[in-house]
Amino acid sequence: MLSQLDRLSFTVDGRYADDSELQFIADYIRSFPIRAQTYLKLQELESKLMQQTYQKVRLIDPMLFNHNGNDITAKWKQDTLRVLRYTAVTVLMDDTDTLRDRLLLWFQTIMKAFNAQRSCDVTYQVLQEVVKQNLPHAQANLVCPILELNRRLLGGSL
Amino acid sequence: MVSTEASNPVKRKYPKKHNHYGFRDFFQFDPEKGTIMDWNDSQNILTTEDFIIGLVEGLEEEVGDASAATMYTIGCEWGQKDAFFFEKWFEREFDRNVRQTNLLFLLETWWWPFTSQGWGRWEVDMGDRKQGFMFINIFDSAVARTLGDVGKPVCFLYAGLFAGFFTELVKKQLSCIEIQCYSMGETYCKFLLGGQDRIDAAAFWLNEGATARDIEKRLRTGEVLR
């Protein structure tokens, strides 16, 4: 949303925007109630989502929490929590460009440095399943595309 | 330029925020002072492509063929100084010594300010590190992008920067050469970093018409100049 507003202010320099150029603002206003509800829901369910995701990922591959013989569960939780919170604000603001610029492009290189792409691939795949189980369909539909973007960028397929 | 108090309000509030490389987080514009400070309190200036062309062509006019070596030397000094600067801000931000850190993470962290500043994204290939050399790819080099396809490598400043920084980091004299450049019509720039003997060999092969791929093969088979 903010990125789109920013772009709009450039493209309409010295003229009036037409209806199609303003459409995204109307769409955003219309979608704001469900965005706000989803944001609050993610905040409310944060620890539950984290716990369920952790347990499922652990079942899939416990070695994902082990790096060179060290238990990295705490680090995994810290990283996943950060991405989840950025995801929540991205749902609220409808701004994946900002998510990419402020977090994902940087975090992608860091995850690669630690060879954690497979862990990210599995984590954000599982988190999508957990979100679908815990949030109403319409809310999960707002969250999952962003989690999929996280998975593709951090999991190494982009 | 380093001040004790961070000039960036986001940094004052979140001094340990690591993902601060977005344009709005990384740079702090002060219209009253006319300054642009970055996250690490270095002063930045904005330049145009004309500035880069002026720098490269002006130097060529002044010193002729020696301009490549001059740019490389400038890069070396920059890299050496930046290694000390980096060590300080890294330790401040991560509360740990650069030598007790995962090497790839360390290198990514070093390069991120350069990415934000427009020097291009990079990729480090350390697969041959044990053999004493490594490759660095630069996507969207500011110098090559500006000069366009001129049929020869132009990123001497980058080569010097890598040589200077890595020499300080590993405390061993290293050199660097660009073996593939966007300005030769390639899609990205490729640098070889290693000891002087290998860089001399690569320079010779390059001069004889070898491609980056040929050079990689020859190095991996242990070929050096006699």
Side-chain angles (χ1 to χ4, degrees):
Chain A
M1 177 66 185
L2 293 176
S3 300
Q4 284 172 297
L5 281 173
D6 211 23
R7 275 196 292 275
L8 180 70
S9 73
F10 275 105
T11 51
V12 299
D13 191 38
R15 66 175 174 88
Y16 292 99
D18 62 31
D19 287 351
S20 67
E21 287 171 318
L22 295 175
Q23 187 58 45
F24 77 92
I25 301 176
D27 293 344
Y28 180 72
I29 291 168
R30 231 188 334 268
S31 70
F32 184 75
I34 191 169
R35 290 186 183 281
Q37 286 160 16
T38 310
Y39 180 76
L40 292 173
K41 192 78 176 170
L42 285 173
Q43 186 180 15
E44 181 198 325
L45 296 181
E46 183 185 85
S47 54
K48 187 179 177 188
L49 298 175
M50 286 293 296
Q51 190 55 30
Q52 289 183 5
T53 304
Y54 171 70
Q55 283 165 347
K56 285 193 171 200
V57 173
R58 193 159 200 100
L59 274 178
I60 292 170
D61 187 355
M63 287 310 285
L64 292 175
F65 299 99
N66 185 299
H67 185 69
N68 297 335
N70 298 315
D71 180 10
I72 53 160
T73 304
K75 188 84 187 77
W76 176 89
K77 282 187 175 161
Q78 190 188 347
D79 289 344
T80 309
L81 201 59
R82 172 163 45 192
V83 173
L84 182 59
R85 287 177 180 177
Y86 270 88
T87 300
V89 84
T90 303
V91 168
L92 185 67
M93 305 302 289
D94 186 20
D95 197 344
T96 46
D97 287 352
T98 297
L99 173 71
R100 201 187 295 256
D101 287 352
R102 294 188 70 190
L103 178 72
L104 294 180
L105 292 178
W106 167 77
F107 207 40
Q108 182 183 43
T109 62
I110 304 306
M111 290 299 94
K112 201 172 167 193
F114 285 105
N115 211 10
Q117 289 128 308
R118 182 154 176 272
S119 169
C120 289
D121 185 35
V122 175
T123 298
Y124 298 108
Q125 180 64 53
V126 168
L127 194 49
Q128 288 182 60
E129 291 162 21
V130 170
V131 161
K132 282 176 192 162
Q133 285 160 5
N134 285 279
L135 269 68
H137 186 65
Q139 294 184 3
N141 278 349
L142 284 175
V143 181
C144 287
I146 302 167
L147 292 174
E148 178 59 14
L149 176 69
N150 297 335
R151 189 193 66 77
R152 280 187 293 133
L153 274 167
L154 305 178
S157 53
L158 268 189
Chain B
M1 192 161 93
V2 179
S3 58
T4 46
E5 171 97 356
S7 59
N8 188 318
V10 182
K11 188 177 181 182
R12 275 203 298 272
K13 196 163 181 193
Y14 304 104
K16 299 288 177 192
K17 178 181 159 76
H18 302 312
N19 54 310
H20 52 247
Y21 295 104
F23 185 74
R24 284 191 176 82
D25 286 332
F26 192 69
F27 294 108
Q28 179 63 30
F29 293 78
D30 185 335
E32 283 183 14
K33 289 189 201 151
T35 54
I36 307 167
M37 305 301 285
D38 67 25
W39 187 268
N40 300 316
D41 289 318
S42 272
Q43 189 164 337
N44 287 237
I45 55 165
L46 300 176
T47 66
T48 61
E49 292 196 340
D50 285 344
F51 174 86
I52 297 175
I53 292 172
L55 181 70
V56 172
E57 292 188 355
L59 196 61
E60 269 174 16
E61 204 170 298
E62 288 294 324
V63 300
D65 288 346
S67 71
T70 309
M71 290 290 264
Y72 182 85
T73 308
I74 293 169
C76 270
E77 289 193 21
W78 177 24
Q80 280 173 325
K81 285 198 169 72
D82 196 63
F84 292 112
F85 181 59
F86 169 64
E87 202 171 329
K88 287 202 184 77
W89 71 253
F90 182 90
E91 286 177 10
R92 244 190 346 257
E93 186 175 324
F94 292 96
D95 295 321
R96 69 168 59 186
N97 189 284
V98 293
R99 300 190 192 283
Q100 296 163 328
T101 304
N102 170 304
L103 182 58
L104 257 178
F105 168 69
L106 185 80
L107 296 181
E108 292 296 350
T109 304
W110 174 62
W111 189 251
W112 260 103
F114 292 90
T115 303
S116 294
Q117 288 163 340
W119 294 97
R121 294 193 76 186
W122 85 343
E123 188 176 69
V124 186
D125 173 1
M126 295 205 296
D128 303 289
R129 188 160 60 107
K130 285 184 180 152
Q131 276 66 51
F133 61 92
M134 59 185 255
F135 297 99
I136 296 169
N137 297 329
I138 288 282
F139 307 98
D140 221 9
S141 150
V143 178
R145 184 186 57 209
T146 301
L147 296 183
D149 190 351
V150 294
K152 58 179 183 179
V154 293
C155 305
F156 303 104
L157 192 64
Y158 284 77
L161 174 66
F162 297 140
F165 174 76
F166 281 92
T167 293
E168 280 307 321
L169 185 72
V170 303
K171 304 286 179 206
K172 188 179 158 192
Q173 188 61 47
L174 293 172
S175 299
C176 185
I177 185 172
E178 188 180 25
I179 56 172
Q180 170 182 305
C181 186
Y182 178 79
S183 282
M184 296 156 71
E186 302 288 346
T187 49
Y188 61 93
C189 302
K190 192 178 203 70
F191 298 84
L192 166 68
L193 183 78
Q196 191 62 49
D197 53 343
R198 285 201 174 85
I199 301 304
D200 286 344
F204 176 79
W205 296 328
L206 199 62
N207 204 34
E208 296 285 297
T211 64
R213 193 174 287 270
D214 297 332
I215 294 172
E216 281 178 59
K217 268 190 203 157
R218 286 179 164 186
L219 287 168
R220 283 178 181 140
T221 54
E223 212 178 312
V224 283
L225 288 183
R226 304 274 168 234

